[in-house]
Amino acid sequence: MSQLISVETALANILEHIQPLSTETVTLLDGLDRFLGEDIISGSDIPPFANSAMDGYAVRTSDLATASRDSPAQLQMIGQVPAGAMADQPVRSGTAIRIMTGAPIPVGADAVVRFEDTSENQPPDLPLHTGSLISVYNSPCLGENIRFPGEDIRRGQTVLSKGIMIRPQEIGVLASLGVERVSVIRRPRVAIIATGDELVELGEPLSPGKIRNSNEFANAALVKRYGGEPICLGIARDTVIDLQRKIEKGLRHKVDLFITSAGVSVGDYDMVKNVLAAEGEMHFWQVAIKPGKPLAFGLVRGVPLIGLPGNPVAAFVAFEVFARPAILKMAGSVTWRKPSVMAVLQEPIENSGRRHYMRALVRREGEAYWVTTRGTDVTVQGSGILSSMVWANAFLVVPEGTTYLPAGSQVRVEMLDWPEYII
Ligand code: AMP
Ligand code: MG
């Protein structure tokens, strides 16, 4: 029997064999939620030219050094410049050009005075007569209400780094740089194989002793959630030939990763072990984690395989802890830590001393997060009780070596999601 290894050791071992996949280019919007495949270096200044931050008048500050409400300065309006156009003349001393937000600052002007600080009351889109006099009620600073070229992004600057997730704001920045197609890391193709003689496909009748194959669907959903493309290969019966066939099929589909469930616990892993060992180098670990202790990992003809336990919650936990980082690393992410918060424990907890991923519900009261596990009872925390995963929004991670946590303890919880009611 192999020895108990830590979660960190197991994960480090897995990740050592996982590398980011190659890149592909997609149209900008299809880059959403993907990982950027290259550094993005700006080829231009954003904004590209000095422009007005306000609707107002482009002026020379030297004309307005003493202007105030009580003693306004008078300037002659000599023209207008809307966004998208260029002024056809400079601002000379004693003059001003009406300017709209986003319009280029005319030559000679060094500040913009908002309409609100002038005698202009009309909506800005009503043109005044060229030549009219306007009063200015304050003395702007040099550069006031001017947006300078490159103040957002400088030419030559690395704006986005390889490996970041492309969110709507990155899409916006890429669009502002004129990027039509973006390089992203390929989505990992992940084969899902459920193993077990007791499993029945959805849509087939259940007979005595049989159960539904839920792991395949939960695992496929997790693969999708973390940016992979699930390739469901169905149920492999507990025979050497059946499992071999599924693996061959996966290899033909050119998958980047295999995820199997079940068949790795003490009672029955020998069959799986023999099959996998024949195909490559496999390890069968007992990880110091609860639930999810048995775990297989190895390479099947060069393709990594993660063998999750069979019990649905053990499989789910092991997926989150081991398969998720592997998928994210393949997909090009440079980070795979789960978002976590500190919360106040509602009830006391006893623990075996293994790291325990307890299903938990986090809620917020005032400024504090509270967490309940509904206790350690197997009807809630048993590794086959999938319905309590539905109730849970987090894992309370009881650290290894901790055998007791009193109510009121500050504990770390890893969020499965962030429902609106806890924000
Ligand atoms: P095993 O690791 O093969 O001993 O399986 C452990 C437990 O997980 C057993 O109760 C299995 O029936 C159950 N199990 C295995 N595979 C699945 C699956 N695909 N969906 C739901 N339960 C499963
Ligand atoms: Mg089995």
Side-chain angles (χ1 to χ4, degrees):
M1 187 78 273
S2 43
Q3 77 214 59
L4 211 59
I5 66 169
S6 72
V7 171
E8 276 67 34
T9 305
L11 183 57
N13 257 299
I14 293 173
L15 292 180
E16 206 176 289
H17 293 92
I18 303 283
Q19 298 310 328
L21 302 174
S22 54
T23 57
E24 61 185 7
T25 55
V26 293
T27 56
L28 180 55
L29 204 49
D30 285 337
L32 184 66
D33 293 336
R34 306 283 299 268
F35 295 97
L36 189 60
E38 61 184 0
D39 287 343
I40 300 290
I41 296 161
S42 177
S44 53
D45 281 341
I46 310 279
F49 51 86
N51 68 92
S52 180
M54 290 285 173
D55 294 332
Y57 286 93
V59 296
R60 297 167 71 99
T61 50
S62 55
D63 287 341
L64 301 170
T66 61
S68 68
R69 277 273 152 198
D70 297 334
S71 120
Q74 300 237 295
L75 296 173
Q76 188 181 34
M77 196 273 275
I78 56 168
Q80 316 203 47
V81 55
M86 299 293 291
D88 54 6
Q89 58 184 320
V91 173
R92 296 200 178 80
S93 185
T95 71
I97 290 181
R98 276 182 105 237
I99 190 164
M100 302 303 131
T101 304
I105 301 295
V107 173
D110 57 15
V112 170
V113 183
R114 309 179 300 161
F115 284 136
E116 294 88 327
D117 296 326
T118 72
S119 55
E120 169 150 347
N121 295 319
Q122 297 108 312
D125 51 349
L126 285 182
L128 295 180
H129 289 297
T130 300
S132 351
L133 286 180
I134 51 141
S135 299
V136 179
Y137 302 130
N138 73 1
S139 168
C141 308
L142 196 66
E144 194 164 316
N145 295 326
I146 292 180
R147 303 191 284 217
F148 290 95
E151 75 173 24
D152 184 1
I153 294 166
R154 288 218 159 276
R155 182 187 172 151
Q157 179 188 335
T158 302
V159 194
L160 303 174
S161 304
K162 182 175 176 170
I164 57 138
M165 181 183 262
I166 303 175
R167 303 168 299 170
Q169 49 269 56
E170 278 79 28
I171 298 276
V173 164
L174 288 163
S176 76
L177 296 172
V179 174
E180 284 179 273
R181 294 181 64 81
V182 63
S183 165
V184 293
I185 315 281
R186 202 160 59 67
R187 284 186 195 284
R189 294 163 59 77
V190 183
I192 313 278
I193 303 174
T195 71
D197 283 344
E198 74 279 34
L199 302 178
V200 168
E201 299 282 16
L202 276 60
E204 282 177 14
L206 273 181
S207 48
K210 307 288 185 189
I211 60 164
R212 295 278 178 215
N213 168 19
S214 66
N215 287 349
E216 174 178 325
F217 288 87
N219 287 338
L222 284 163
V223 166
K224 267 186 130 170
R225 166 167 282 191
Y226 297 127
E229 186 191 329
I231 294 162
C232 292
L233 300 178
I235 300 164
R237 298 303 167 196
D238 288 328
T239 64
V240 171
I241 187 76
D242 218 28
L243 188 56
Q244 267 171 344
R245 263 200 218 114
K246 296 290 183 203
I247 285 171
E248 287 299 335
K249 196 168 170 194
L251 292 169
R252 278 200 304 279
H253 276 82
K254 300 211 175 319
V255 299
D256 302 301
L257 174 67
F258 283 97
I259 292 183
T260 66
S261 69
V264 290
S265 53
V266 189
D268 57 6
Y269 74 65
D270 270 338
M271 187 278 304
V272 177
K273 181 178 178 177
N274 291 343
V275 173
L276 300 179
E279 304 285 349
E281 193 199 342
M282 288 301 300
H283 304 276
F284 291 85
W285 293 323
Q286 299 291 309
V287 185
I289 184 175
K290 185 183 170 185
K293 188 164 111 179
L295 186 78
F297 177 71
L299 300 174
V300 176
R301 278 184 258 162
V303 179
L305 180 147
I306 299 176
L308 304 175
N311 279 306
V313 179
F316 204 100
V317 168
F319 191 110
E320 283 282 349
V321 175
F322 301 110
R324 174 181 172 273
I327 291 170
L328 289 179
K329 186 173 179 187
M330 274 187 173
S333 180
V334 287
T335 164
W336 34 83
R337 203 174 297 152
K338 272 311 254 190
S340 70
V341 293
M342 295 304 286
V344 184
L345 181 61
Q346 271 181 245
E347 64 280 327
I349 282 173
E350 292 189 1
N351 186 43
S352 66
R354 265 195 281 158
R355 186 186 299 187
H356 193 174
Y357 284 75
M358 298 185 75
R359 275 142 280 176
L361 188 69
V362 173
R363 65 191 171 83
R364 183 173 172 163
E365 224 170 75
E367 287 308 304
Y369 293 109
W370 288 81
V371 60
T372 180
T373 59
R374 286 188 177 165
T376 42
D377 198 277
V378 287
T379 58
V380 178
Q381 299 292 347
S383 61
I385 308 293
L386 194 53
S387 60
S388 58
M389 277 303 305
V390 174
W391 158 80
N393 60 17
F395 285 133
L396 189 177
V397 188
V398 184
E400 42 274 80
T402 298
T403 49
Y404 181 72
L405 286 168
S409 304
Q410 284 280 339
V411 292
R412 182 162 295 284
V413 287
E414 292 191 354
M415 300 308 298
L416 290 167
D417 35 53
W418 281 101
E420 284 175 18
Y421 61 80
I422 59 167
I423 297 168

